[in-house]
């Protein structure tokens, strides 16, 4: 601190997980922050996002985003407040969203930040229901599935970040919503908080049986957050011309999964299976927020989050999330 | 014959195959044909079609067409000539197409028949390149894949009935065509007759390696006639926003197949996988024929068929086709 420079803690990826990530894949480091250049802003993060897709970036090899580099800080969505600024568009105290997660403070050009309106909703909501998470659910239902009123939809992983928004948006669009989760408290959340029409614990119940019971006339839409046996069960339950939205595949992030053995149903039932990535749809964010902010303010769209305190607990929170255990419901964020 | 009634031979399904069909699942029977009622036509079949999809109809359970009934004659596409007629629209000697295959003669209302123009092409071509088979390839490429010039497409089962038409139509649309088949003579046919850009024997070569070699920048489109390891290899080779047309899944018709373990690539590569059934598109037949008949007449669209002589050989021909052996290239028909 002799130089008087500000220090920041950050989480680095120090080795690539084989299968399930372990704490030793991560390290907490302290770095000195540089002085601001013209156009730059110093931000103190208040929350950063922990997302399943980050597991893919921990592997080697190109995907739709580059892999995390070994020995470097991880990144991802974060919200925080401007502490110092050399960009007039980002005054001190302004709330901003960035892709500079997994650290306390950072310096970045203002043009890489987006102002958020913390008077409309709690700042962390911009990582969840009012962020890419919410947009993912909205795009998946509207653009990919093209849901219509009175359709029956099955949303796996309904207590997760995207799933919990998708359940609500589908219900508000007049769909019958069936959803699944991996613990009884999550199933209770689906039933009581999200008020889905039918919810089940996929670890205890047979998804094929549950869908037969809850959707005796079949599914118009399946919104996949899990892949694995739930995808196979959904395929078996699709109506003719059903649509399957491939949004996430969390069951296969740590270990290889078997593919659905009944994929040939795609032919006889004329199914459409379509994958998407929210980064292709970020230009729809303003349109989405114009709908979602009033809904959140009116209490019609629940921002469900689990906030874990302290940057040092981020690796364990990430590991637990991939186990789909009981600890986290809704969006998982680290509070700093 | 005391009554003077005409007799017809027919093939019946007498038991449901478990796995690979066997000759004892079929029986040859002789039936007496009824006298014609007003509006009815007596047809002598000249050719009937042997198709992979018929395997699915031999199982119990509803699919997009009802299952074949036990103890009853099989059916499927056929072409033949009118022998007697009580429908003025179908004069004696007219060539007609019907769904009354697997028999020598049949009596049906004229309204269930379609006249074909045997002066334009050999009658059996209306079972292949100018029939549902050709329409299947055309719809799959145009409506489902929406192919564009200069795209790279992989067509599995390219020496089969639909595959051989798809290879030609794709090439004529300016696509680079990669195709596969299950024997060296079929591969030679793909290269020499259909002039695809790259062909390989999927039983001997690794599809993943072949696609890496032949499509180093990835596939825009995969036209699936097989499912199984070739589908998995195609998924691994798809470009971002690639389209997979699910047309057939012959590798799984006799036995369960493993699903593709890499289906989650659908997400990161934003793939669209879409199945279709030609019966939903029969209203496009006239439009298709307006293109295809001149192409066949000009020698630009090859009608490749294998004709097996004699109704009594139909069961064995069907069994062999599902083995994807060396015996049949192109459309498989029974000549009566």
């Amino acid at each position: 601190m002799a130089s008087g420079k500000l220090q920041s803690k950050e989480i680095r990826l120090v080795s690539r997980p084989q299968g399930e990530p372990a704490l030793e894949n991560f390290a907490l480091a302290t770095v000195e922050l540089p002085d601001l250049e013209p156009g730059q802003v110093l931000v103190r993060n208040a929350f950063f996002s922990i997302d399943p897709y980050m597991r893919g970036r921990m592997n080697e090899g190109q995907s739709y985003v580059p892999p995390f580099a070994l020995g470097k800080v991880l990144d991802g969505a974060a919200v925080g407040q401007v502490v110092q600024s050399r960009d007039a568009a980002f005054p001190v105290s302004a709330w901003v969203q960035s892709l500079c997660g997994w650290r306390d403070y950072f310096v970045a050009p203002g043009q890489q930040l987006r102002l958020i309106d913390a008077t409309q909703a709690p700042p962390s909501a911009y990582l969840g229901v009012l962020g890419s998470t919410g947009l993912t659910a909205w795009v998946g239902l509207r653009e990919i599935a093209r849901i219509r009123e009175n359709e029956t939809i099955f949303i796996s992983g309904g207590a997760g970040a995207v799933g919990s928004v998708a359940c609500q948006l589908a219900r508000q669009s007049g769909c019958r919503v069936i959803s699944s989760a991996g613990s009884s408290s999550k199933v209770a959340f689906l039933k009581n908080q999200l008020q889905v029409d039918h919810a089940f614990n996929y670890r205890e119940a047979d998804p094929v049986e549950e869908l037969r019971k809850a959707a005796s006339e079949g599914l118009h839409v399946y919104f996949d957050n899990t892949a694995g046996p739930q995808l196979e069960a959904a395929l078996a339950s699709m109506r003719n011309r059903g649509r399957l939205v491939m949004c996430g595949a969390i069951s296969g992030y740590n270990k290889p999964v078997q593919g659905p053995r009944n994929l040939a149903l795609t032919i006889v039932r004329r199914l459409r299976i379509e994958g998407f990535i929210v980064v292709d749809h970020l230009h729809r964010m303003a349109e989405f927020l114009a709908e979602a902010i009033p809904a959140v303010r009116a209490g019609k769209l629940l921002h469900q989050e689990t906030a874990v305190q302290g940057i040092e607990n981020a690796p364990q929170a990430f590991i637990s999330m991939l186990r789909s255990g009981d600890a986290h419901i809704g969006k998982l964020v680290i509070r700093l």
Side-chain angles (χ1 to χ4, degrees), chain A residues 11 21-23 26-27 50 102 311-320 334:
Chain A
I11 303 282
L23 289 176
F26 303 88
I50 300 286
W102 299 80
I311 190 170
E312 66 280 8
N313 294 316
Q316 184 57 54
F318 177 69
I319 293 167
S320 302
I334 303 298

Side-chain angles (χ1 to χ4, degrees), chain A residues 21-169:
Chain A
L23 289 176
E24 57 262 34
N25 298 132
F26 303 88
L28 183 67
T30 302
V31 292
E32 276 196 351
L33 293 167
D35 292 329
L36 295 193
E37 311 267 340
Q40 287 189 328
V41 178
L42 171 67
V43 177
R44 180 180 176 283
N45 276 332
F47 296 91
F48 65 83
S49 177
I50 300 286
D51 298 298
Y53 82 87
M54 293 169 170
R55 177 64 187 83
R57 294 189 66 192
M58 292 177 187
N59 296 331
E60 269 181 306
Q62 187 66 42
S63 177
Y64 64 99
V65 279
F68 290 126
L70 283 185
K72 302 286 185 189
V73 60
L74 295 161
D75 59 46
V79 291
Q81 278 186 290
V82 175
V83 177
Q84 294 174 20
S85 180
R86 294 188 67 184
D87 180 335
F90 296 90
V92 169
S93 298
W95 280 92
V96 295
Q97 185 168 28
S98 75
L99 288 172
C100 299
W102 299 80
R103 70 200 88 186
D104 280 327
Y105 291 89
F106 66 90
V107 170
Q111 61 202 26
Q112 290 179 12
L113 309 176
R114 195 167 68 84
L115 287 169
I116 59 176
D117 186 348
T119 67
Q120 299 285 319
S124 63
Y126 290 90
L127 298 178
V129 69
L130 299 180
S132 297
T133 297
L135 183 64
T136 300
W138 187 82
V139 165
L141 294 171
R142 186 166 301 197
E143 295 296 311
I144 312 296
R146 300 170 214 149
I147 55 168
R148 292 183 289 264
E149 209 177 338
N150 296 320
E151 290 192 320
T152 300
I153 178 169
F154 171 43
I155 300 170
S156 62
V162 171
S164 61
V165 182
C167 284
Q168 297 179 78
L169 295 179

Side-chain angles (χ1 to χ4, degrees), chain A residues 120-122 124-131 133-135 137 158-172 185-186 188-196 288 291-306 329-332:
Chain A
Q120 299 285 319
S124 63
Y126 290 90
L127 298 178
V129 69
L130 299 180
T133 297
L135 183 64
V162 171
S164 61
V165 182
C167 284
Q168 297 179 78
L169 295 179
R171 220 171 47 80
Q172 286 159 22
S185 62
K186 286 180 174 177
F189 165 74
L190 288 173
K191 288 180 177 166
N192 303 329
Q193 254 67 48
L194 302 191
Q195 298 186 288
V196 304
F288 164 66
E291 283 182 35
I293 288 177
V296 168
R297 286 176 62 87
K300 290 182 188 161
L301 188 57
L302 182 70
H303 169 52
Q304 176 70 34
E305 82 179 15
T306 300
I329 293 187
K331 180 72 192 180
L332 176 62

Side-chain angles (χ1 to χ4, degrees), chain A residues 250-272:
Chain A
I250 197 168
S251 74
Y253 289 172
N254 279 338
K255 56 179 196 302
V257 286
Q258 207 191 327
R261 290 162 297 184
N262 54 0
L263 192 60
L265 289 173
T266 306
I267 306 172
V268 296
R269 299 201 189 148
R270 302 82 152 168
L271 306 177
R272 173 168 61 88

